[in-house]
Amino acid sequence: MVKQKVYRKHIQLTEFQIKRLYELSEFDGVDPAEHAMRAIDAYLKNKKTEVPSKGQAQIRTKVRDQSKDPQIEGAVWLSGTVNQYEFSALILKTPAKTAMEKGRISKLSIWDPAVRKATNNFIGACIVNYDRGWDIRPSRRAEIYYHPVKAMLDDFINQH
């Protein structure tokens, strides 16, 4: 048996959309949830889902801002871009149990700024989110952006 992947995205339908689903269900006798799943499957099938290989994806990672965290002594916030995504990371002065791999990266978020602006939802726009524990682990699609950012952060840590 193949275990299906569970996505942590939620879609909220408007009252009009819900009403239309029930009208369609009354018309053809199919469960409204089945109609919703078919629509999602059709959308995903038409969406470009190929994952670029590491060689194809021209990953450009750069630090845009570096600022001290006034609440945590010696901690530094780094933010920047990795291709079309933005990232932000909190680097601690010393390793911590709750940091990534018990190191110094306490928080790391990588998000799509277009989705964040359109939805006004930070977590919904994230492709990776670590906040003293994994909230959103890097998916296969997100790994090609996560690994260069993580390597750049590791280099920063080794230099400081």
Side-chain angles (χ1 to χ4, degrees):
M1 180 159 83
V2 176
K3 185 176 180 183
Q4 291 185 339
K5 190 169 188 177
V6 176
Y7 295 96
R8 295 180 57 184
K9 301 262 181 188
H10 298 287
I11 300 171
Q12 282 191 304
L13 300 176
T14 64
E15 291 295 324
F16 175 75
Q17 291 169 322
I18 293 170
K19 181 181 174 187
R20 297 290 287 173
L21 274 174
Y22 279 102
E23 287 173 357
L24 183 59
S25 294
E26 287 175 8
F27 176 73
D28 65 3
V30 177
D31 184 40
E34 181 64 27
H35 281 296
M37 292 304 295
R38 287 180 188 172
I40 292 168
D41 288 342
Y43 170 78
L44 291 174
K45 185 177 179 183
N46 292 330
K47 190 172 173 68
K48 183 181 175 188
T49 57
E50 294 97 31
V51 177
S53 68
K54 289 183 183 180
Q56 291 175 321
Q58 295 178 339
I59 304 298
R60 292 180 196 91
T61 306
K62 66 176 185 175
V63 173
R64 183 181 61 230
D65 186 31
Q66 176 179 335
S67 60
K68 302 246 184 253
D69 189 320
Q71 296 177 345
I72 306 170
E73 187 178 330
V76 176
W77 278 101
L78 297 177
S79 61
T81 58
V82 54
N83 282 19
Q84 75 270 25
Y85 298 104
E86 294 182 6
F87 71 88
S88 140
L90 178 63
I91 309 298
L92 302 175
K93 185 176 182 177
T94 58
K97 290 180 187 177
T98 58
M100 193 179 294
E101 300 166 357
K102 296 186 181 178
R104 292 177 48 197
I105 302 172
S106 178
K107 299 181 182 191
L108 171 61
S109 298
I110 303 173
W111 68 90
D112 186 335
V115 172
R116 183 177 183 187
K117 184 177 180 181
T119 63
N120 199 25
N121 182 348
F122 177 74
I123 293 296
C126 284
I127 62 170
V128 173
N129 193 52
Y130 183 92
D131 186 351
R132 291 168 275 157
W134 284 109
D135 298 316
I136 303 171
R137 289 183 180 273
S139 66
R140 196 178 97 218
R141 295 191 67 153
E143 280 181 349
I144 62 169
Y145 304 106
Y146 165 74
H147 290 299
V149 170
K150 176 77 165 70
M152 189 267 312
L153 294 173
D154 289 340
D155 288 343
F156 177 85
I157 289 169
N158 290 333
Q159 293 173 7
H160 295 90

